[in-house]
Amino acid sequence: MSGRGDRLGASIEAAAGLLRRARYVVVLTGAGISTESGIPDFRGPSGVWTKDPKAERLSTLSYYMSDPQVRKQSWRQRLDHPAWSSAPNAGHLAVVELERKGRLQTLVTQNIDGLHLQAGSSPEITIEIHGTMREVVCMRCGERAPMERALERVRAGEADPPCRRCGGILKSATISFGQNLDPDDLARSQLAAARSDFFLAVGTSLAVHPAAGLPAIALNAGARLVIINAEPTPMDSDAEVVFQQPIGEVLPALVALV
Ligand code: NAD
């Protein structure tokens, strides 16, 4: 290695040194960790909203609840979602490895694709703070069911399948804009951030609150912050080390040194 490679190697070693000394580690991931699995993020250069700003409507609760056309379009997009044919990548596997080494106490993911759990992260330490697209929930009676069953109904011709139990509107079990987070998930995430002495933010623009507020909670509690994200984030100036290289390059190298 020389030049850029030397500097990257030194930064990885610096971050690994902090990680080795840490006693309570929190990793927060965002859409960026799944782009290398073929799932586009929202705000990156090839992001879904960067390419089509109107797509944000599909993720907004009030439009979803009031407009059948938005729901029909959402169901079509769910059918075609790249997550169904994607697999965990080196970044997800590095997170599993960090846990296996006893160096990860809590994983908070903003991702709804389920790839961390598919990769092998333990459900006990994983908080899917924005829910999961692998299930549906009835917005009236709260009944939950596997997404696959609802998708079968869409494939069979129901453009906007209602709840089988009460006829209410079904939605993927994800947190839309305008929808509150599960209070337990939020409280557990904030508690973990407050306990942490090392906080690693991976593939998140840190733009969506309250998840984006977790690094600040950790910093206030005295934690060291490391960020891996291709583009700048609002917290970069507070971080010990910022990597703007691909996650699949940096994260496995970092975990290997721990
Ligand atoms: P975001 O789209 O706002 O930001 C992703 C960031 O990751 C960008 O800044 C981008 O530069 C960076 N990035 C992308 N690929 C990278 C790579 N290979 N290496 C390094 N950096 C990379 O994502 P967010 O902060 O998670 O917020 C978006 C919201 O949308 C979240 O709430 C999430 O629930 C949802 N979302 C989830 C998925 C998913 O589940 N895979 C996909 C899109 C959006």
Side-chain angles (χ1 to χ4, degrees):
M1 278 201 291
S2 66
R4 179 189 164 273
D6 278 347
R7 282 198 301 280
L8 177 59
S11 299
I12 292 176
E13 178 47 48
L18 294 173
L19 195 41
R20 280 194 296 267
R21 287 192 290 280
R23 287 203 303 230
Y24 196 105
V25 175
V26 173
V27 173
L28 169 68
T29 65
I33 199 169
S34 291
T35 57
E36 291 169 40
S37 292
I39 303 175
D41 58 17
F42 280 169
R43 296 180 188 78
S46 310
V48 175
W49 295 353
T50 312
K51 287 185 171 166
D52 176 14
K54 287 201 295 291
E56 195 167 348
R57 288 168 65 98
L58 298 184
S59 303
T60 304
L61 187 65
S62 55
Y63 290 124
Y64 190 87
M65 295 306 287
S66 62
D67 187 345
Q69 293 309 323
V70 167
R71 292 201 292 278
K72 286 178 191 169
Q73 200 184 338
S74 295
W75 283 110
R76 284 197 299 273
Q77 284 205 354
R78 286 175 193 137
L79 268 186
D80 296 337
H81 199 284
W84 307 127
S85 56
S86 68
N89 65 56
H92 299 102
L93 296 174
V95 175
V96 176
E97 183 64 7
L98 192 62
E99 178 186 349
R100 202 192 56 76
K101 290 183 169 185
R103 295 297 186 148
L104 176 58
Q105 279 59 52
T106 301
L107 168 63
V108 182
T109 184
Q110 300 168 85
N111 294 344
I112 57 170
D113 55 34
L115 289 183
H116 281 297
L117 295 174
Q118 200 175 314
S121 287
S122 311
E124 296 75 30
I125 70 154
T126 304
I127 303 171
E128 292 179 309
I129 197 166
H130 291 162
T132 176
M133 58 179 286
R134 309 233 167 210
E135 287 182 347
V136 293
V137 65
C138 172
M139 299 306 287
R140 187 193 290 161
C141 74
E143 172 95 335
R144 288 174 84 100
M147 172 63 80
E148 189 42 42
R149 241 187 276 159
L151 291 183
E152 274 166 24
R153 292 170 64 191
V154 180
R155 275 187 215 105
E158 285 183 75
D160 178 20
C163 174
R164 282 233 158 104
R165 191 164 151 213
C166 77
I169 292 173
L170 285 185
K171 189 176 89 61
S172 70
T174 54
I175 306 294
S176 301
F177 284 93
Q179 189 174 5
N180 288 332
L181 272 63
D182 178 291
D184 284 347
D185 287 345
L186 180 59
R188 280 172 62 217
S189 303
Q190 291 173 332
L191 195 65
R195 286 180 68 184
S196 69
D197 54 0
F198 185 95
F199 193 103
L200 178 61
V202 182
T204 169
S205 59
L206 295 175
V208 182
H209 283 269
L214 294 172
I217 294 176
L219 285 169
N220 284 338
R224 318 294 280 272
L225 175 65
V226 170
I227 294 175
I228 309 175
N229 201 65
E231 293 170 292
T233 82
M235 300 300 289
D236 286 1
S237 57
D238 295 295
E240 304 285 331
V241 191
V242 176
F243 297 97
Q244 292 194 334
Q245 290 80 9
I247 294 161
E249 201 177 299
V250 177
L251 195 52
L254 173 62
V255 171
L257 292 181
V258 175

